[in-house]
Amino acid sequence: MTFTATQAVAVSLLTVDEVAERLRRTPTSVRHLIASEQLKSGRVGGRRMVRESDLNEFIDAAFAEAS
C-alpha cells in the first residue's frame, strides 16, 4: 500500500510498547500476537508498527467472539 504525504499524516502508527500499554499486556505478548498473525503490523524505518485502525479491529473482533 502506498500513501501520499497527506494520507501518511492521517495514519496513526503505534509502537509495540504503545500497543502493549493499550492492551495492558507485555510487549512480548504483543509480539506473539503479531507473529501468530492475530494482529496486523508492518515495519516502518526498521521498527515494528501497528496501525491504530488494525488495533481497533483486533479489539472489536475479540468482543464479537465473546458475544
Side-chain angles (χ1 to χ4, degrees), residues 12-46:
S12 180
L13 298 174
L14 304 168
T15 65
V16 169
D17 288 340
E18 290 169 333
V19 172
E21 278 184 36
R22 290 188 183 199
L23 295 177
R24 296 182 184 146
R25 307 276 303 264
T26 65
T28 301
S29 68
V30 171
R31 287 186 192 93
H32 174 74
L33 293 171
I34 291 168
S36 63
E37 298 182 355
Q38 296 177 61
L39 179 60
K40 295 178 187 177
S41 72
R43 285 206 173 270
V44 179

